[in-house]
Amino acid sequence: MWSTPSWIPGLPTDEKDVEAMKIVTRHVNRQSSFQVFLANLKQDRLALFGVALLVAFVFVGVFSEQLAPHGPRDRHSHPEGGIRRLESPSWEHPFGTTDVGRDIFSQVILGTRTALMVGFLAALLVTIVGSVIGIIAGYFGGWVDSMLMRIVDFFYAIPFIPFVIVLAAVLQPSIWNIILAVSLLSWRTVARIVRSQVLSISQRPYIKAARVAGAGHLRIMVRYILPNVIPLVLLEMAFMVNWAIMAEASVSFLGFGDPRVTSWGQILHINFISGYSRQAWWWTIPPGMAIVLLLLSIFFVARSLEAVVDPRLRKR
């Protein structure tokens, strides 16, 4: 049986007591982090605005098919005949129409679902892969750390846009290919950041105490290290959502997106290749503003998460 360390008075010497103490400590830490996030959220008006805006986007994305008054490819005509071509915003078409009479308002609403799906799915995959690799590299160190970091360096050498172009050429253009491309190349940043945090956590006394108590590597990484990096992981996930949304919009704008799926980048792409990007301002501004507002809402929420990770940012 190991002796009681001096860093915690009255530390239990039984392994079960140590485990119970760690569970309670982890619960308190999670509670404290959540309370810090809520407190900072209440004090930060921009964060509250971001939450409200993000909730609105999520609502529109979930119920986009019910909210969209028309189909994304429906063509509209005047009662007396003739296509409603390049009409400015009106009560019937709040965001105007395209050069072939399609309703831009419906397209923007349906594009919300695509942006949210790509953003959150890609960010979830990126966060899981990056966190697992970062925790393993930081915890074991040595040759394991060196090998995993060399793999990270290799993926850093792959440029994103050319990679997506090659992927679209080899595979059929699909929204899932964009999610795959974002996931394959974006986990590297999360892995490096999590690794740097785990390098510090793995040297703390309670980790050494858990090892002496007989806890296995997997148990230490899952029960003791992971809860301490969750605030940082959530912060990086928020930034990854923004990156994935921008990546999808960029790829679709370049014409390598899924032509069967309506997205904001695809709306801008069709507008650009049609030659009316300067003439029909109502065709450009709505999808562009939707991208900006969604990215801003997520960024404002992430500012509150930063206060959990970095105590120096907390409002006094």
Side-chain angles (χ1 to χ4, degrees):
M1 187 66 65
W2 50 282
S3 58
T4 303
S6 59
W7 54 279
I8 296 183
L11 181 67
T13 57
D14 183 76
E15 182 179 348
K16 292 183 179 180
D17 293 337
V18 173
E19 295 296 330
M21 182 193 67
K22 298 305 178 186
I23 293 174
V24 172
T25 303
R26 186 171 68 253
H27 176 70
V28 171
N29 289 338
R30 277 207 302 261
Q31 246 186 349
S32 176
S33 298
F34 185 67
Q35 289 174 351
V36 169
F37 172 71
L38 287 181
N40 194 69
L41 194 63
K42 294 177 181 178
Q43 297 176 7
D44 192 342
R45 293 183 178 180
L46 287 177
L48 286 175
F49 172 74
V51 170
L53 197 56
L54 183 58
V55 169
F57 272 111
V58 171
F59 177 82
V60 172
V62 172
F63 300 101
S64 57
E65 292 186 355
Q66 290 76 22
L67 295 174
H70 308 286
R73 291 174 175 81
D74 293 346
R75 294 188 177 186
H76 304 277
S77 304
H78 294 283
E80 62 276 7
I83 297 177
R84 294 181 177 270
R85 183 174 179 269
L86 292 177
E87 289 192 355
S88 58
S90 60
W91 285 108
E92 188 174 354
H93 301 285
F95 292 167
T97 60
T98 67
D99 58 335
V100 292
R102 291 170 179 166
D103 183 56
I104 300 174
F105 180 70
S106 300
Q107 292 182 344
V108 172
I109 289 179
L110 293 169
T112 306
R113 179 176 57 184
T114 303
L116 292 175
M117 183 180 69
V118 173
F120 283 101
L121 282 182
L124 182 62
L125 291 174
V126 165
T127 304
I128 292 174
V129 174
S131 300
V132 170
I133 293 178
I135 290 175
I136 293 175
Y139 175 76
F140 287 103
W143 67 269
V144 176
D145 182 27
S146 299
M147 179 185 67
L148 292 177
M149 288 303 102
R150 297 298 75 77
I151 295 175
V152 170
D153 293 339
F154 169 77
F155 278 95
Y156 264 113
I158 303 176
F160 177 75
I161 296 298
F163 178 75
V164 175
I165 294 175
V166 172
L167 196 66
V170 175
L171 305 175
Q172 183 180 2
S174 169
I175 200 72
W176 299 107
N177 291 338
I178 298 177
I179 295 175
L180 176 63
V182 174
S183 303
L184 286 176
L185 296 185
S186 301
W187 63 268
R188 55 199 181 184
T189 302
V190 178
R192 277 195 175 276
I193 294 175
V194 171
R195 167 188 173 268
S196 64
Q197 184 76 3
V198 174
L199 284 174
S200 173
I201 295 175
S202 60
Q203 300 301 319
R204 292 178 183 174
Y206 66 87
I207 299 297
K208 297 179 180 179
R211 289 173 179 165
V212 175
H217 296 310
L218 182 61
R219 187 179 186 86
I220 292 175
M221 286 188 289
V222 173
R223 298 182 68 89
Y224 303 149
I225 293 181
L226 180 60
N228 287 278
V229 299
I230 281 180
L232 180 63
V233 168
L234 292 178
L235 176 62
E236 287 304 311
M237 183 177 177
F239 290 133
M240 285 299 109
V241 172
N242 269 10
W243 160 246
I245 292 172
M246 287 190 295
E248 188 280 327
S250 301
V251 171
S252 297
F253 176 74
L254 292 175
F256 296 101
D258 191 341
R260 301 162 298 179
V261 177
T262 304
S263 69
W264 296 332
Q266 183 190 71
I267 298 172
L268 294 173
H269 168 72
I270 297 175
N271 179 20
F272 181 78
I273 64 175
S274 67
Y276 295 104
S277 56
R278 295 184 178 180
Q279 177 181 345
W281 58 266
W282 57 86
W283 197 353
T284 306
I285 292 180
M289 286 300 299
I291 295 173
V292 171
L293 290 176
L294 180 56
L295 296 183
L296 279 178
S297 67
I298 298 173
F299 174 75
F300 288 151
V301 175
R303 290 175 71 244
S304 294
L305 286 173
E306 280 186 305
V308 178
V309 177
D310 190 350
R312 293 172 297 180
L313 299 176
R314 298 175 189 175
K315 295 186 177 181
R316 300 179 184 274

